[in-house]
Amino acid sequence: MSATAPEAVAGARTGLAGALVVPATLFVAIGLIGPIAILFRYSLNKFIPGQFMVDGLVIENYVKFFTDAYYINVLVRTVRVAVICTLVCLILGFPLAYVLARMQSRFKNLMIMLVVLPLFVGNAVRAAGWMTAFGNRGAFNASLTGLGIIDRPIEIMFTENAVLIGIIAVNLPFMVLTLQSVIEGIPRHVEEAAFSLGANPAAMFTRVLWPLALPGILAGTILTFILAMNAYATPVLLGGPKFQMMGPLVYGQFAQQNNWPFGGAISFILMTATIVLTVAAHLVVQRRYR
Amino acid sequence: MARLAIEHLRKSYGDVTVVDDVTIDIAEGEFLVLLGPSGCGKTTTLRMVAGFVPPSAGKIAIGPRDVTGLPPWKRNCGLVFQSYALFPHMTVAENVAFGLEMRKTPKADRGPRVAEALRLVQLTGFDTRYPRQLSGGQQQRVALARALAMEPDVLLLDEPLSNLDAKLRQEVRVEIRELQRKLGLTTIMVTHDQEEALTMADRLVVMEGGKVRQIGTQRELYEKPADRFVAGFIGRSAFVDGRIEGDGRFRSKGGLEIACAAATGAGPATLALRPERIAVGSDAEGLANRFSARVEHAAYLGALLDIHVSLSEHDRMLLQIPNRQGFVEPRPGETIAIGWAGDAGLIYPLQS
């Protein structure tokens, strides 16, 4: 929001800037758009058991998904889990990000490292850890039983709650880091100005901090929402075989059923749902705060 | 508008005391400037008045209200920052209305008060612009209007002009001062710019090392500086180290015998002279102290000439001579006659 116009990229006149864009663009084109195009083509093919994939141009795979309550259910569950995880990450992450952003201690970098620390452990390893904690005789239930707080173990493992906890734990650092960098860019004086004008902390938050942090909130929620929609290891390991989400479903069609056309169709439905929901949510938010 | 009383205010961070026993009484409608080098505690003092820094000890009262323990949003202090600190996502009118909105002023009253505040800072018609569409000077005026619109008891200005270019600074300086006088606003301004402080203030507070060195009007500070720091900080001074040989007699380290009415007693001391009190050439004739001085450096500053001279191996000083027609500045190496009256100097304890 500075008063001066943004400076042109260094080397803009020599054409160097154009050249700088090429490697990443090529990588994205070859590594992402190519496979997606192929996948889309596959999703229009026919699947005949025993014959693997038969070339065709049909929408029966999409029809199959949207006419079967089981698959609709998986989609709804995935969206629900992703929305809850994103909201919880935002609610838990904002205060933490704010404190980190405003911290002036020399331990600040250490604190940021601590936030990132969970990402040092891979998804599968972490989920395995949660499994030992959440089991009926796991650390969590054993402690509560031992303390006499409960007499029968609480069912956590292989429930939606286990999956929610697992995904939130993975996604929280992404939310915190995104918010922190944006909040750091909001001058402290702007908050102080609001206070001096009579705004209490709640009013300062809703009228000044939140709207100014909105770009970070949008970026953070996009990131965590996409990650949650596409979660794989956590739902498989913590949700168990009966708790299906879209990610594992895609994998199952490709690897276990060998049904590439249907797998491709599910992939596309997942991708489209993610994009549509993300865009829709942000249109709503932006309309409210502009 | 109200009187503001700061009593024995202190702020320490661990072992470091940044504001030390500051007591200032500001009359209703007075424009007080806190002046000092960076790190002198002036900004911390202002932030304690605003409520952003909790004092370690002391009391702050606005009118009859003791506000020492109150959060900033209950103090009713209008604040203007060096960085303007406008809300970038709000229009000019929304920025100015913010304080009224927070005070639950009825919507119908807000419009006229916003318009009045913008009229005061000569920004009528800028209502729907966003801060990023304004120049620095205009942004600072919006910040001022925003602070004025809520009708504060006290106006606090934190280096409000430092981000503006030199010419604009002079204009806004006069505008703020006129506005302050017209509205009778009790005001504290923090600045490190001496000229700014001298042109705007009713009274000045010179701070250094967390302590108040002197409180007074421009004339008091310039003509009767309380200590050597103030003598060197407000305007310029030539300092001559030496010792008092007896009443009225001062002997410099370089061996110059100087007649000085302010010298009493005996012992090591520093003599402070205002550069413009030192006369040159024929003007020096008939003065109590006359010396020949070697010119080391002469600078042509337009209205003034700065001349650095040495009187002996240990005694150097700065002279400022008005640039009269036909006056040719002396060249380095030349010897000139200088002199000053016996009542021109002030005596301070020698600083080791």
Side-chain angles (χ1 to χ4, degrees):
Chain A
M1 301 273 174
S2 95
T4 50
E7 274 185 16
V9 181
R13 265 182 304 167
T14 56
L16 181 67
L20 291 173
V21 181
V22 171
T25 312
L26 274 180
F27 188 79
V28 170
I30 296 168
L32 186 70
I33 297 173
I36 287 176
I38 296 169
L39 206 59
F40 183 63
R41 180 65 195 88
Y42 282 179
S43 76
L44 299 175
N45 281 344
K46 275 184 173 174
F47 176 73
I48 299 168
Q51 278 184 288
F52 186 51
M53 186 157 65
V54 178
D55 271 343
L57 209 60
V58 294
I59 57 162
E60 63 176 40
N61 294 307
Y62 293 93
V63 173
K64 180 181 169 189
F65 186 94
F66 286 110
T67 49
D68 189 332
Y70 174 77
Y71 296 121
I72 302 267
N73 232 327
V74 173
L75 179 62
V76 169
R77 181 185 297 135
T78 305
V79 171
R80 183 177 64 230
V81 166
V83 168
I84 294 173
C85 285
T86 306
L87 289 178
V88 173
C89 280
L90 184 59
I91 293 165
L92 292 180
F94 199 101
L96 179 55
Y98 181 79
V99 170
L100 277 178
R102 292 291 182 237
M103 187 180 258
Q104 289 182 336
S105 152
R106 61 206 154 104
F107 298 118
K108 181 171 179 163
N109 283 336
L110 187 72
M111 300 294 278
I112 292 171
M113 279 302 287
L114 285 177
V115 170
V116 186
L117 202 61
L119 302 179
F120 281 70
V121 182
N123 269 351
V125 179
R126 191 199 345 251
W130 286 113
M131 285 170 81
T132 65
F134 287 159
N136 278 358
R137 262 169 291 186
F140 182 69
N141 274 317
S143 313
L144 290 184
T145 327
L147 288 168
I149 298 171
I150 51 169
D151 33 287
R152 259 196 290 144
I154 305 173
E155 287 279 339
I156 308 173
M157 199 56 206
F158 302 138
T159 65
E160 186 168 317
N161 288 340
V163 177
L164 286 174
I165 293 171
I167 296 178
I168 289 165
V170 184
N171 288 1
L172 196 54
F174 293 103
M175 180 66 93
V176 172
L177 290 183
T178 316
L179 288 177
Q180 182 240 336
S181 66
V182 173
I183 295 172
E184 235 165 50
I186 303 171
R188 191 76 235 257
H189 281 165
V190 172
E191 288 173 30
E192 291 181 346
F195 286 138
S196 78
L197 290 164
N200 60 30
M204 191 284 283
F205 177 78
T206 52
R207 299 282 281 118
V208 177
L209 192 56
W210 178 268
L212 288 181
L214 209 56
I217 293 163
L218 293 185
T221 49
I222 289 176
L223 203 58
T224 50
F225 183 72
I226 292 172
L227 285 171
M229 283 290 279
N230 293 288
Y232 177 77
T234 316
V236 167
L237 292 170
L238 297 182
K242 282 187 194 149
F243 187 87
Q244 275 290 4
M245 278 176 65
M246 292 294 273
L249 190 66
V250 170
Y251 174 78
Q253 291 302 320
F254 277 104
Q256 286 153 15
Q257 317 288 332
N258 268 326
N259 190 344
W260 284 36
F262 191 48
I266 301 173
S267 305
F268 254 84
I269 291 164
L270 174 58
M271 199 168 80
T272 313
T274 309
I275 293 171
V276 167
L277 288 171
T278 307
V279 170
H282 295 136
L283 284 179
V284 170
V285 171
Q286 278 191 323
R287 189 159 306 161
R288 253 196 80 188
Y289 285 94
R290 285 295 142 177
Chain B
M1 308 313 114
R3 177 174 162 262
L4 177 69
I6 300 170
E7 287 168 28
H8 304 292
L9 202 61
R10 200 167 63 78
K11 180 66 196 177
S12 309
Y13 295 99
D15 295 339
V16 187
T17 301
V18 289
V19 172
D20 195 359
D21 196 27
V22 166
T23 298
I24 308 169
D25 215 343
I26 301 144
E28 214 174 299
E30 187 177 23
F31 195 112
L32 186 99
V33 172
L34 298 184
L35 179 65
S38 47
C40 72
K42 56 189 191 297
T43 300
T44 309
T45 305
L46 190 85
R47 290 176 63 78
M48 283 195 275
V49 175
F52 297 125
V53 176
S56 308
K59 200 185 125 184
I60 301 162
I62 299 173
R65 286 194 302 152
D66 181 348
V67 300
T68 319
L70 285 185
W73 54 92
K74 289 183 180 163
R75 293 201 178 193
N76 205 27
C77 293
L79 201 51
V80 177
F81 294 92
Q82 177 180 351
S83 59
Y84 323 136
L86 295 176
F87 305 127
H89 57 301
M90 297 183 196
T91 62
V92 167
E94 285 167 343
N95 265 281
V96 177
F98 189 84
L100 303 173
E101 193 187 320
M102 291 301 123
R103 276 171 182 67
K104 312 258 185 303
T105 309
K107 267 211 172 99
D109 296 352
R110 285 183 212 163
R113 281 176 66 178
V114 169
E116 170 63 11
L118 287 176
R119 191 189 62 77
L120 284 175
V121 298
Q122 298 166 35
L123 281 179
T124 303
F126 284 70
D127 307 52
T128 55
R129 304 254 193 119
Y130 280 91
R132 60 178 174 274
Q133 298 168 314
L134 304 179
S135 70
Q138 289 168 336
Q139 289 188 46
Q140 195 54 298
R141 287 197 197 128
V142 175
L144 190 62
R146 185 175 65 174
L148 295 177
M150 67 175 210
E151 295 178 356
D153 291 328
V154 177
L155 184 63
L156 305 175
L157 309 171
D158 185 6
E159 308 231 3
L161 308 174
S162 300
N163 277 3
L164 306 178
D165 62 57
K167 194 162 178 297
L168 197 59
R169 204 178 303 171
Q170 304 216 345
E171 281 174 35
V172 180
R173 194 144 86 187
V174 176
E175 281 175 27
I176 290 182
R177 183 58 207 184
E178 277 178 359
L179 208 53
Q180 183 270 340
R181 207 171 274 150
K182 193 159 75 186
L183 302 174
L185 272 168
T186 309
T187 304
I188 303 183
M189 182 172 87
V190 158
T191 184
H192 63 268
D193 183 331
Q194 204 191 109
E195 194 191 321
E196 194 172 295
L198 292 172
T199 42
M200 294 178 81
D202 287 322
R203 265 191 321 153
L204 301 105
V205 178
V206 180
M207 290 185 71
E208 202 245 348
K211 289 194 171 71
V212 171
R213 291 307 190 103
Q214 191 172 0
I215 304 181
T217 62
Q218 288 85 335
R219 187 175 287 273
E220 283 163 1
L221 294 183
Y222 192 78
E223 294 182 1
K224 296 187 188 69
D227 58 21
R228 187 184 158 146
F229 174 80
V230 179
F233 192 74
I234 303 291
R236 290 154 93 174
S237 286
F239 293 107
V240 181
D241 289 343
R243 51 183 298 120
I244 299 170
E245 299 279 280
D247 286 354
R249 287 189 297 126
F250 182 87
R251 186 184 163 83
S252 80
K253 231 161 70 181
L256 305 175
E257 297 286 350
I258 299 167
C260 175
T264 51
T270 298
L271 173 72
L273 287 165
R274 290 297 184 189
E276 73 278 4
R277 295 290 305 264
I278 304 171
V280 173
S282 54
D283 295 342
E285 280 168 28
L287 292 172
N289 300 293
R290 256 169 302 138
F291 301 99
S292 63
R294 217 173 71 91
V295 176
E296 295 196 324
H297 179 74
Y300 181 90
L301 301 179
L304 287 174
L305 298 168
D306 265 13
I307 304 173
H308 294 263
V309 297
S310 64
L311 281 71
S312 75
E313 202 183 324
H314 297 288
D315 301 308
R316 291 190 164 75
M317 56 178 66
L318 166 73
L319 325 178
Q320 277 183 337
I321 310 165
N323 185 9
R324 278 171 299 192
Q325 198 172 9
F327 187 89
V328 180
E329 69 261 39
R331 272 191 295 276
E334 257 179 60
T335 302
I336 55 174
I338 65 166
W340 62 89
D343 64 355
L346 291 167
I347 294 289
Y348 297 107
L350 187 68
Q351 280 178 344
S352 47

